[in-house]
Amino acid sequence: MFLQQLINGLTLGSVYALIALGYTMVYGILELINFAHGEIYMLGAYLGIILLGFFTAIGLTSQSLSLSIILTLILTIIFCSSYGFTIEKIAYKPLRRSPRLSPLISAIGVSIFLQNYVMLTQGATDKVFSSIFGNAGFDFLSTRITYLQLAIILVSAVIMLLLHAFILKTKTGKAMRAVAQDKTMASLLGINIDTVISATFIIGSGLAAIAGVMVAMYYGLVNYYIGYTAGIKAFTAAVLGGIGSVPGAMLGGVILGLAESLGASYILREYIEYKDAFAFIILITILLAKPEGLLGKTSEEKI
Amino acid sequence: MPEKTWNHKKYLMPVIIALWFSFLFLPFKGIKAAILLFVILTFAIPLLKYALNLIKKIHLPADTFRGYVPSDKRYFFLLLVPLMTAPFFAEDYIIDVVINSGIYIILALGLNIVVGFAGLLNLGFVAFYAIGAYSYALINTKLGLGFWSAMPVSVLLTMLSGFLLAVPALRLRGDYLALVTLGFGEIVRLVLNNWDSFTKGPNGISGIMPPYIFNISLGKLSYYYYLVLIFVVISVFVIRRVHDSKTGRAWISLREDEIASSAMGINTTLYKLYSFAFGSFWAGLAGCLFAAKMRFISPESFSFMESVLILCMVILGGLGSIAGVVIGAVILVFLPEALRGVETYRMLAMGCGMVLLMVFRPQGLFGGKNVSIGS
Amino acid sequence: MSLLEVKALSKHFGGIRAIEEITFNTRSGIILSIIGPNGAGKTTLFNCLTGFLRPTKGSVVFSEKEISYLSADKINLLGISRTFQNIRLFKEMTVIENVMVAQHSKIRSGFLSAVIRSSNFKEEERIAKERSFEYLELLGIEAYAEKISGSLPYGAQRKLEIARALATEATLILLDEPTAGMNPQETDEMMARIKNLRELGKTIILIEHDMKVVMGISDRIIVLDHGVKIAEGVPYDIKNNPMVIEAYLGRETH
């Protein structure tokens, strides 16, 4: 039982971590809570189901399952990155010099728009996709671990390591860190701020896309409002780890996933109808008690 | 030679943009719809550009709309005449919508105190509306108290809840505060939805009594209209006067520059608290009026989208401008009624509208030139 | 008797010692200037004196009251007011409203009398407005009274900030580089206005870069370098102090 919840929590946590990275990267660079990021994840989940359905319809899935999954992932990443890129150009870029809360309101607008866009084009009901994986897996210490769970955890871990290396080693990654620290200085040093911001949105959206596809395969079901809750949870994870900190987002995601799955099955069983409130309560508690998070830094306002 | 490439770009750009958006659209509606969108956009974009250029050429003065809002007090009484006589010639349906806009005006004016005056973004304002409505409903149905005794109690309870939320939350910076209020709103809704024994959960509370004056029920639409009208006038009157006092100046100084404000001897935390409490006061009143009008309330009426709607009323009219907020509320109540045929696109349009407003006119239709939100 | 006594005041940011063990006194009714190269800790000292930063160590006694642990608004109410290096006006408010905000604590009538517009309230508002206007006249910007303050020319904005600081009716005024960005003519005018404030009985602590200004109007000068006080005295002594020339003036004049 415990081990089972541990595995479930890790799976969930990896997904939260992937989404949280998008929040934390954007916040690190623009100091903006990208409210629409949860919707990118929702779009990714929809695209995952639509594309897998498409590949099943043309018979690719039955011929080569792995090829169709890889194709789905790549296409979803391309689409979601394009969405992220476009949203930034339309809704955030013109507001870069505005007061902090203007882009936040704009982001809420984008979020509402995307939710309703999906609802109108895909219908208000759940979109179901009969799982092609079933319950395939293995038993370990009398605990069922599905291959899909294992894949989600492993893929997330690998991607996060790659991202970490990307930020530390590559030119774009270094530019990102420079912009996050001091925008004016970075631009004086010849870093193109616009390119860096675009890259941030593209990478963040790509990560959310991967999370979306994996969740779609895991649950076999999506609807247009999953982005809101998932977004809040992932944001909570980012704040928990320390917003702006990439390792923090990973840590926060895993902790939140574990807390949710272990908490729901042990501590808070009687209040299960308040499940969705947990994330908010955790979020509010962290913001009030330790707003800099586990791995974040405090900053004093300049006078 | 450069002339030619420039032309090239001019004709190619719309096609590229159209192609890009059709590509984004493709997976959700299929290839046919995407091609259709491409064709439409290819022609629409140059047209739109042309139209925008035309608008720019007209060269409106900087605060275009503001000039049309009469600032002279005498106009206010002129406005009262049609408002006073409305129930005699308008049909019930219109009166009903007007009552709704009256309730939203009070609500939006309340949020305007927090967001427009003090510059604190509150994304969970609907929670106070809900607390006001539920307090009245519960006091009325469980204790049997009438409107005139239950309403003040409910309003006080709402103020108290505003105070209690504000005490811990106000230490936070702008966007974090926004998230905490958002979370508060959701938690209130979830509690209302799940605490079956007390709030009757998703079924809601029915059998709420309308107000009475000397045994005359104000439940009749035209009577209720006057009740709401009186409260709207009171709210505009009171908020205006508070705005033009040291309290109002302290709030606006907070919005403009918190640090300078505290250097002027203003206890910034205290004034933020006041703005939360005073704002939730009006939300509580609006909640009571809503519950007494509908005679039935359920958690459905108090979702996050409702908070966003109220926020939109405030930013559409113009943050900080009382007249602007009133007009914003009226527009956003009447517009969906006028557009009933395309109701499914309402939220889509609202999301779009929020982005466009922030990008093109962040000060709202009637706001001042540089009124800013937070700092 | 000293109006302000600063004893062994230190402020550390992590490992960085922004100011270290600074001690000085101010008499009432003088102009005290604080000079020093960039990064010497002048603004940090101001922030510690006015409650925007909490000192790491040391004490600040103002009118025989310990104020180092008080918040900015409390310190202001006790009678210390300041301006900011990067002008901080309430940009959307009119000029007169800016100054009226500073009269905040002088207006007694509260919320309810504002709603019913009691005679008391009206009287107080009228007086606050009149006084605010007087402060604008004192700085020579009364012509702008009804303008939106963000639209004022730079020099007038600086003056408005000083008018606003005065309007809190503080006895001690801290001015953070009041002549920054001004041309020589404007600087001369500002110097005259600051001298005028001393005649009105205000005590002024001034952060200033312009040596001509400092030597011309200061009664006393304190020199900071790397967060430490290296000299204190009348302008003549400072001008001839070899340590000061070494640390600061030398670099400025040559």
Side-chain angles (χ1 to χ4, degrees):
Chain A
M1 178 66 181
F2 176 75
L3 198 61
Q4 186 70 63
Q5 294 305 335
L6 200 69
I7 294 292
N8 292 350
L10 265 181
T11 315
L12 212 57
S14 322
V15 173
Y16 291 157
L18 279 181
I19 311 172
L21 284 168
Y23 279 109
T24 225
M25 284 164 67
V26 168
Y27 196 93
I29 287 180
L30 285 181
E31 297 224 332
L32 160 72
I33 299 172
N34 181 10
F35 218 85
H37 189 61
E39 311 313 332
I40 299 281
Y41 152 81
M42 181 268 293
L43 290 171
Y46 262 92
L47 286 170
I49 284 194
I50 292 170
L51 290 169
L52 276 177
F54 175 71
F55 290 135
T56 313
I58 62 167
L60 185 69
T61 322
S62 51
Q63 279 189 1
S64 166
L65 185 60
S66 46
L67 180 66
S68 54
I69 290 176
I70 288 168
L71 272 178
T72 303
L73 266 176
I74 291 173
L75 283 172
T76 310
I77 291 171
I78 290 174
F79 273 110
C80 283
S81 300
S82 313
Y83 291 130
F85 171 81
T86 314
I87 290 168
E88 195 271 326
K89 287 278 180 263
I90 293 177
Y92 305 149
K93 195 180 169 202
L95 299 175
R96 226 171 267 165
R97 287 178 200 290
S98 308
R100 277 171 84 103
L101 297 178
S102 295
L104 183 61
I105 292 173
S106 180
I108 295 171
V110 172
S111 165
I112 294 173
F113 174 82
L114 289 177
Q115 269 185 34
N116 285 277
Y117 163 73
V118 170
M119 187 190 81
L120 287 171
T121 53
Q122 293 288 310
T125 48
D126 288 353
K127 197 168 179 72
V128 187
F129 174 73
S130 54
S131 178
I132 30 175
F133 310 98
N135 204 17
F138 57 91
D139 290 308
F140 175 72
L141 295 175
S142 73
T143 301
R144 186 72 184 168
I145 301 170
T146 65
Y147 291 133
L148 195 57
Q149 283 182 321
L150 210 61
I152 289 177
I153 296 168
L154 283 178
V155 168
S156 309
V158 168
I159 286 171
M160 286 189 266
L161 284 178
L162 283 176
L163 179 74
H164 197 64
F166 173 83
I167 291 175
L168 284 183
K169 296 277 153 63
T170 64
K171 209 176 151 198
T172 318
K174 283 175 186 163
M176 279 176 171
R177 282 189 294 151
V179 173
Q181 279 198 355
D182 190 336
K183 247 184 246 136
T184 331
M185 198 61 205
S187 71
L188 286 176
L189 292 173
I191 293 172
N192 187 338
I193 307 277
D194 285 342
T195 318
V196 170
I197 291 173
S198 287
T200 311
F201 273 85
I202 288 171
I203 293 169
S205 306
L207 297 174
I210 298 169
V213 172
M214 294 198 303
V215 163
M217 291 196 290
Y218 188 51
Y219 291 120
L221 167 147
V222 290
N223 51 50
Y224 69 93
Y225 47 81
I226 57 167
Y228 177 62
T229 337
I232 291 289
K233 285 179 184 168
F235 184 77
T236 306
V239 173
L240 176 63
I243 193 123
S245 149
V246 169
M250 304 177 193
L251 183 71
V254 173
I255 292 177
L256 194 73
L258 286 174
E260 194 180 315
S261 116
L262 293 175
S265 52
Y266 290 104
I267 310 157
L268 299 158
R269 270 178 129 158
E270 277 133 65
Y271 299 99
I272 203 71
E273 63 266 33
Y274 290 106
K275 197 172 136 255
D276 286 339
F278 292 160
F280 286 110
I281 292 169
I282 296 174
L283 177 64
I284 291 178
T285 316
I286 304 163
L287 284 179
L288 294 180
K290 197 171 162 54
E292 72 275 14
L294 295 172
L295 303 179
K297 283 168 287 191
T298 41
S299 59
E300 282 195 60
E301 196 177 347
K302 268 192 189 154
I303 296 166
Chain B
M1 207 57 193
E3 186 76 11
K4 205 179 175 188
T5 45
W6 181 80
N7 263 334
H8 227 72
K9 231 180 167 178
K10 186 180 162 194
Y11 292 116
L12 212 58
M13 242 2 233
V15 179
I16 292 172
I17 295 172
L19 200 63
W20 177 251
F21 280 97
S22 323
F23 160 73
L24 295 180
F25 189 60
L26 173 69
F28 283 92
K29 209 60 191 165
I31 190 99
K32 267 189 219 157
I35 292 172
L36 187 67
L37 184 74
F38 171 69
V39 174
I40 294 172
L41 281 181
T42 314
F43 291 103
I45 291 169
L47 269 177
L48 212 68
K49 261 192 180 159
Y50 183 69
L52 274 179
N53 277 335
L54 272 186
I55 291 170
K56 265 182 202 154
K57 268 181 201 149
I58 296 171
H59 232 81
L60 294 164
D63 40 6
T64 357
F65 300 99
R66 214 184 198 183
Y68 297 112
V69 183
S71 51
D72 198 317
K73 273 182 191 168
R74 279 168 300 177
Y75 289 103
F76 185 67
F77 292 104
L78 222 62
L79 195 70
L80 273 181
V81 176
L83 282 175
M84 289 299 286
T85 51
F88 295 105
F89 55 80
E91 43 185 314
D92 273 4
Y93 164 69
I94 300 286
I95 295 296
D96 191 62
V97 180
V98 174
I99 292 174
N100 280 343
S101 41
I103 293 174
Y104 274 111
I105 286 172
I106 298 174
L107 203 50
L109 283 174
L111 181 62
N112 187 43
I113 292 167
V114 183
V115 187
F117 295 171
L120 307 163
L121 186 56
N122 185 341
L123 289 179
F125 198 64
V126 78
F128 303 117
Y129 185 39
I131 290 171
Y134 265 86
S135 305
Y136 174 63
L138 287 169
I139 292 171
N140 181 258
T141 55
K142 296 214 167 168
L143 303 179
L145 288 182
F147 184 81
W148 301 108
S149 38
M151 188 266 284
V153 179
S154 316
V155 170
L156 281 180
L157 278 175
T158 315
M159 260 178 94
L160 190 72
S161 66
F163 217 76
L164 287 181
L165 169 69
V167 169
L170 287 178
R171 289 184 294 130
L172 297 171
R173 268 204 329 246
D175 42 1
Y176 277 12
L177 176 71
L179 271 181
V180 167
T181 52
L182 165 75
F184 178 73
E186 290 292 285
I187 290 170
V188 166
R189 191 178 55 85
L190 284 165
V191 168
L192 294 177
N193 211 12
N194 291 309
W195 196 358
D196 292 355
S197 56
F198 190 58
T199 65
K200 302 207 178 126
N203 296 329
I205 299 174
S206 52
I208 304 165
M209 295 222 300
Y212 281 84
I213 293 180
F214 304 123
N215 292 330
I216 302 166
S217 161
L218 299 184
K220 205 183 150 207
L221 217 47
S222 52
Y223 293 167
Y224 208 78
Y225 169 86
Y226 286 114
L227 182 75
V228 172
L229 182 64
I230 289 168
F231 277 117
V232 169
V233 171
I234 291 175
S235 66
V236 171
F237 184 79
V238 170
I239 292 172
R240 237 192 115 89
R241 290 196 154 186
V242 173
H243 175 264
D244 296 333
S245 76
K246 76 169 204 173
T247 315
R249 285 194 296 269
W251 281 333
I252 294 169
S253 75
L254 252 178
R255 175 190 80 195
E256 294 296 315
D257 194 323
E258 198 177 327
I259 285 170
S261 180
S262 64
M264 294 300 110
I266 290 168
N267 185 338
T268 52
T269 317
L270 198 65
Y271 275 87
K272 285 181 185 174
L273 265 176
Y274 286 166
S275 82
F276 255 70
F278 194 49
S280 41
F281 174 91
W282 299 108
L285 176 65
C288 290
L289 289 172
F290 176 73
K293 177 189 176 249
M294 304 307 288
R295 319 260 184 93
F296 164 78
I297 50 166
S298 73
E300 245 177 74
S301 315
F302 308 106
S303 64
F304 171 58
M305 279 306 138
E306 199 71 11
S307 282
V308 174
L309 182 68
I310 307 165
L311 182 66
C312 282
M313 292 170 177
V314 175
I315 56 178
L316 176 68
L319 278 167
S321 145
I322 294 175
V325 170
V326 171
I327 296 166
V330 172
I331 291 176
L332 283 184
V333 174
F334 268 87
L335 206 60
E337 299 295 333
L339 302 173
R340 278 224 172 258
V342 285
E343 209 183 2
T344 37
Y345 296 95
R346 201 185 82 157
M347 295 307 283
L348 196 74
M350 191 160 105
C352 241
M354 285 171 81
V355 177
L356 292 178
L357 199 64
M358 283 299 115
V359 172
F360 292 109
R361 214 181 153 80
Q363 73 274 37
L365 296 181
F366 303 95
K369 215 177 161 199
N370 313 303
V371 175
S372 51
I373 321 153
S375 50
Chain C
M1 191 202 77
S2 299
L3 182 69
L4 182 78
E5 288 175 42
V6 178
K7 275 188 222 123
L9 196 71
S10 303
K11 176 69 192 174
H12 302 165
F13 296 102
I16 301 159
R17 286 146 192 258
I19 53 175
E20 183 75 8
E21 302 271 330
I22 291 186
T23 302
F24 68 91
N25 294 335
T26 321
R27 261 189 307 117
S28 211
I30 64 159
I31 296 178
L32 170 76
S33 290
I34 296 173
I35 62 170
N38 280 327
K42 297 172 305 237
T43 297
T44 305
L45 176 63
F46 261 31
N47 287 340
C48 286
L49 296 182
T50 49
F52 287 99
L53 287 174
R54 184 141 303 172
T56 315
K57 270 186 300 192
S59 85
V60 182
V61 176
F62 176 71
S63 296
E64 296 170 349
K65 213 177 202 155
E66 175 66 45
I67 60 162
S68 60
Y69 59 92
L70 293 177
S71 60
D73 54 303
K74 300 267 161 29
I75 291 178
N76 178 268
L77 294 184
L78 287 175
I80 303 182
S81 191
R82 69 173 289 183
T83 66
F84 296 89
Q85 193 176 354
N86 45 339
I87 305 172
R88 284 178 172 272
L89 291 175
F90 308 125
K91 289 202 183 72
E92 264 301 303
M93 302 175 98
T94 62
V95 169
I96 190 95
E97 279 171 341
N98 262 275
V99 186
M100 282 173 83
V101 169
Q103 295 266 317
H104 183 83
S105 59
K106 302 292 169 295
I107 299 175
R108 288 266 150 256
S109 53
F111 212 78
L112 271 180
S113 35
V115 173
I116 59 170
R117 288 277 189 265
S118 66
S119 55
N120 210 359
F121 170 85
K122 282 184 190 158
E123 181 65 12
E124 279 193 319
E125 283 284 304
R126 193 183 57 77
I127 292 173
K129 196 159 188 174
E130 260 172 26
R131 274 211 205 119
S132 303
F133 199 78
E134 283 165 19
Y135 284 111
L136 292 181
E137 284 175 330
L138 192 64
L139 271 294
I141 46 171
E142 71 277 7
Y144 295 111
E146 298 299 331
K147 289 261 183 330
I148 296 291
S149 67
S151 68
L152 257 53
Y154 179 81
Q157 292 199 13
R158 281 246 175 252
K159 286 179 198 159
L160 174 55
E161 236 203 337
I162 296 174
R164 200 179 60 177
L166 287 170
T168 63
E169 283 164 29
T171 43
L172 176 63
I173 314 280
L174 276 59
L175 302 176
D176 199 343
E177 297 198 26
T179 65
M182 287 187 168
N183 64 34
Q185 190 196 337
E186 286 173 318
T187 305
D188 285 346
E189 195 205 326
M190 185 60 95
M191 276 170 70
R193 300 226 181 255
I194 293 171
K195 270 188 194 160
N196 187 24
L197 297 183
R198 178 176 53 188
E199 310 316 317
L200 291 172
K202 303 280 180 191
T203 311
I204 290 151
I205 302 183
L206 190 70
I207 291 180
E208 190 50 74
H209 267 303
D210 192 328
M211 272 306 126
K212 208 178 101 227
V213 175
V214 173
M215 294 303 164
I217 67 173
S218 309
D219 296 306
R220 280 189 88 73
I221 296 175
I222 288 174
V223 189
L224 299 187
D225 190 23
H226 293 104
V228 184
K229 184 175 98 174
I230 57 168
E232 181 177 352
V234 295
Y236 179 83
D237 294 340
I238 296 295
K239 227 183 260 177
N240 301 312
N241 184 322
M243 265 177 89
V244 177
I245 295 166
E246 156 91 38
Y248 185 67
L249 293 176
R251 267 174 264 163
E252 283 280 308
T253 44
H254 298 291

